[in-house]
Amino acid sequence: MLIMSVTLFVLATFLGYELISRVPPLLHTPLMSGANAISGITLVGAVLVSGTGLTDLSAILGLFAVIFATINLVGGFMVTSRMLKMFKKGTKTS
Amino acid sequence: MTTQIIEISYLLAAISFILGLKYLSSPETASRGMLLSQLGMFIAVIATLLNHSVVSYGMILVGIVIGSLIGSLLATKIQMTAMPQMVALLNGFGGLSSALVGGGEFLRSQAHLTPYPMTTIGLTVLIGMVTFTGSLIAFAKLQELMRGTPIVFPGQNALNLVFFFVALGLFGYLAFVPTMTPAFWALIVLSGILGVMVVIPIGGGDMPVVISLLNSYSGLAAAASGFILNNNVLIISGSLVGSAGIILSQLMCKAMNRSLGNVLFGAFGQIAAPKAQVAASPDKQATPAAAPEVRSGSPEEAAEIFKKAKKVIIVPGYGMAVAQAQHAVRELAELLQNQGTEVSYAIHPVAGRMPGHMNVLLAEANVPYDQLIDMDDINDEFPETDVSLVIGANDVVNPAADTDPNSPIYGMPILHVDQSKLVMVLKRSMKPGFAGIDNELFLRPNTMMVFGDAKSTIVKMAEALK
């Protein structure tokens, strides 16, 4: 199990490196906020922790995990698309 | 069967994130990519709800509704100039969420934890908390809730090292004695302190590196939580984000000609401060503009020069963001273009407080992105340029980076505005920039200083041009 996870981790890191090297500096801010939104994937982990049906401290932590992951995810994606909409190609004589 | 559906959904989500990042390689496809990533995220979350261990949906729903409200409110209300703070804050929330997942897992399975899962939990909490508190400090600095200058004291690095090793010790101890709950809380607190300690000595000018690095950490925290839960989509997406942050930090460091270690532990301002004090004699500080060598002009005089210019390059810096001058700048540029002047913008990689900060601000002001040129592509054009207009940028145009081996920024790649026929520098006063380094560019014969608030100066220039 561990070796599978490590393999995935290493391969995905290399893949990420290749992909992100190609992002032009023009889009570095949307890249950050977009990547940031993708890290909101912890919501998956948060859901797993908070949906166990338990009503102890772990469930409360889970609830807060869901809240913060969702802020990260929704806020990140919305602000990224807001930014990307602003990038327009020149239509003038320039 | 359900397990397979979930796994396939996770795979689809991972593919959508990969494509989303791939599409970010061009502004034309970027929006589509992000849309795809959102769809992937949606699939991943829905699939998770199908997991047999998820039996109650009430809390989840409440959490998602609250989170969505806050998130969408933040995203729609935030000003583009405040984007670095926003990213810092969201990063922090991501880190906190991972730490909370770690904490929840710890409490839930404490009774039967073996060293491996305990290690992954410890790691998640450690990285998550460092990301959280570090990002909060970065946020506070950027939002100017606390001073942006480095906070340093003697023995700081040594103290940090002690904290780090104590955290590591707790970590190792917990791996074998996971029932020691107090040690776990201590680890959480210590990780939080570590996050604060790591970011307070870093100055505002180095924020692009720190934000990138924290971005990376938030991804790594998510990946670590994937190790706890044996969840592939968490591992894959977390490491994608982790490498994004690492690349950006590397690029930012390269653009400052400094190593990551130097940015994190060097307390840049400390090295530069004594030098600046020597250079700026008291009388010079009192009447900055009166220094004899400095040539200064009014916005109206500047406009006269612009009327004759055929090629103008605008060099924006953090000062433009502070003055909220981007819209005024675009209006000035359009007036120039209408009189037939060629205008482009030179973007230094570390201009502003986060990677790509200037590009976003100018895009917000409706500057077409094909006029925004990266440093390496525009540097050859300065010798043929009639006027370089430097707005609130300082260190990124400081010729000392090329000529003065004693300068703290020596070797940093700069925009060669000094090669253009005339450099117009908009600045509040002669005060040195953030890094506290004097800029001889301001004293050059082909430099004209225009003192005042960047925005009102540019508005006056535009008025005079009309």
Side-chain angles (χ1 to χ4, degrees), chain B residues 409-422:
Chain B
I409 58 164
Y410 183 67
M412 166 174 156
I414 55 161
L415 290 161
H416 291 288
V417 290
D418 52 319
Q419 294 172 358
S420 53
K421 286 168 198 139
L422 181 79

Side-chain angles (χ1 to χ4, degrees), chain B residues 268-282 284-285 395 406-408 430-439:
Chain B
F268 193 48
Q270 279 259 305
I271 309 164
K275 194 174 177 291
Q277 273 159 14
V278 176
S281 55
K284 199 169 156 192
Q285 272 181 334
D395 296 336
N406 295 321
S407 169
M430 281 300 285
K431 256 187 16 212
F434 182 80
I437 305 159
D438 270 348
N439 195 337

Side-chain angles (χ1 to χ4, degrees), chain B residues 157-420:
Chain B
N157 283 343
L159 186 65
N160 286 352
L161 216 61
V162 171
F163 278 139
F164 179 73
F165 280 111
V166 174
L168 217 62
L170 282 172
F171 193 104
Y173 176 65
L174 273 166
F176 296 98
V177 197
T179 43
M180 268 307 279
T181 316
F184 185 72
W185 299 126
L187 179 65
I188 292 180
V189 172
L190 206 61
S191 312
I193 295 174
L194 212 56
V196 173
M197 296 292 287
V198 169
V199 181
I200 51 167
I202 295 168
D206 293 342
M207 275 302 154
V209 180
V210 178
I211 297 189
S212 311
L213 204 63
L214 290 168
N215 195 214
S216 173
Y217 289 171
S218 76
L220 292 178
S225 70
F227 277 82
I228 306 178
L229 300 163
N230 270 314
N231 188 306
N232 291 344
V233 76
L234 278 174
I235 295 176
I236 296 175
S237 342
S239 35
L240 287 173
V241 178
S243 47
I246 289 169
I247 291 181
L248 288 174
S249 344
Q250 278 179 349
L251 286 174
M252 295 302 112
C253 284
K254 211 176 125 211
M256 296 195 292
N257 190 39
R258 293 167 62 202
S259 69
L260 195 56
N262 182 270
V263 174
L264 295 180
F265 307 113
F268 193 48
Q270 279 259 305
I271 309 164
K275 194 174 177 291
Q277 273 159 14
V278 176
S281 55
D283 58 320
K284 199 169 156 192
Q285 272 181 334
T287 49
E293 321 89 314
V294 179
R295 168 183 166 199
S296 72
S298 69
E300 290 73 25
E301 290 171 69
E304 287 308 309
I305 297 170
F306 275 134
K307 278 182 189 160
K308 292 176 212 120
K310 291 198 175 58
K311 184 174 165 72
V312 172
I313 296 181
I314 298 174
V315 182
Y318 184 57
M320 183 187 79
V322 174
Q324 299 266 9
Q326 65 271 29
H327 295 277
V329 171
R330 194 253 309 151
E331 276 163 36
L332 177 69
E334 277 182 358
L335 285 173
L336 290 171
Q337 281 161 339
N338 290 343
Q339 70 171 21
T341 308
E342 186 192 334
V343 182
S344 42
Y345 298 79
I347 312 290
H348 192 281
V350 289
R353 287 292 182 263
M354 73 184 295
H357 193 185
M358 292 299 123
N359 294 305
V360 170
L361 287 186
L362 291 166
E364 186 210 6
N366 285 321
V367 175
Y369 63 76
D370 36 10
Q371 288 174 19
L372 310 173
I373 323 273
D374 297 333
M375 175 172 67
D376 293 336
D377 296 322
I378 205 162
N379 252 342
D380 297 336
E381 291 183 28
F382 283 109
E384 303 128 45
T385 303
D386 297 306
V387 184
S388 293
L389 178 63
V390 179
I391 308 168
N394 190 347
D395 296 336
V396 298
V397 292
N398 191 340
D402 285 336
T403 53
D404 177 10
N406 295 321
S407 169
I409 58 164
Y410 183 67
M412 166 174 156
I414 55 161
L415 290 161
H416 291 288
V417 290
D418 52 319
Q419 294 172 358
S420 53

